[in-house]
Amino acid sequence: MNPISDRYRRRAEAFERKIAAVRPGQWSDQSPCEAWTARDVVAHIVVMHAAVLRPVQRNLSPAPSAGDDPLAAFRAARADVQQVLDSPDLAATECDSPAGWMSVEQQIDEVLSDDLVLHGWDLARATGQDETMDPDDVARLWATVSATPPELMQKYRTPGAFGPGIEVYGPEVPVPDDAPLQDRLLGLIGRRPR
């Protein structure tokens, strides 16, 4: 078993359940990401799936757009990424990333798979679903994000640093030191947990 593939699969299943639970009239509801609706959150995730396929010269398979059918768009993108993770040669391909050179599967794990957790919270918040993140995912993400060097964190918080319209994290939101770890993680990446 491949822990990166297993983690992606579990997180993608959770994100897909959130998409499936969105009622038709909720797709235009505001998400915690200021410029995005609930539909935009899913569209971003689908775009990120396309981005992690580029180093292995792959594109997303033909599918409805997230604008037309968010669930179908995500399912198709998810299958494409899972194929890469299930291929040892493709998964091991080296690629350049904002954090340096790494394997494609490591980039999927550290960027896309983590995005599924964080943006899963955004989608849940936007559509009134359960906002509780998996505690193991929270602990893992906290360890990673809180250890980010200040200069890289500053770059993550700078709109456009990784390309036009790209903002990785918002300004930190103060959260009490004794708040639950999920709340502290959300505050660190620029979300208002409550």
Side-chain angles (χ1 to χ4, degrees), residues 162-192:
F162 295 102
I166 297 175
E167 184 175 340
V168 180
Y169 300 141
E172 185 171 357
V173 173
V175 175
D177 291 341
D178 62 349
L181 190 58
Q182 176 173 309
D183 289 3
R184 288 184 282 150
L185 172 64
L186 290 167
L188 187 58
I189 65 167
R191 306 292 199 275
R192 296 194 182 285

Side-chain angles (χ1 to χ4, degrees), residues 36-117:
W36 290 351
T37 63
R39 185 182 307 276
D40 295 330
V41 171
V42 178
H44 166 75
I45 287 293
V46 171
V47 166
M48 291 304 296
H49 277 69
V52 299
L53 294 175
R54 283 189 206 114
V56 290
Q57 289 75 48
R58 294 210 170 183
N59 296 309
L60 294 176
S61 298
S65 71
D68 292 333
D69 187 340
L71 184 57
F74 177 73
R75 283 179 173 159
R78 176 184 172 192
D80 291 336
V81 167
Q82 194 65 59
Q83 285 180 343
V84 169
L85 288 173
D86 291 344
S87 166
D89 290 340
L90 293 175
T93 301
E94 290 290 311
C95 65
D96 196 8
S97 80
W101 281 92
M102 61 179 63
S103 67
V104 167
E105 73 175 350
Q106 187 179 356
Q107 185 181 41
I108 290 170
D109 194 38
E110 294 180 11
V111 177
L112 180 59
S113 187
D114 287 354
D115 252 14
L116 290 171
V117 177

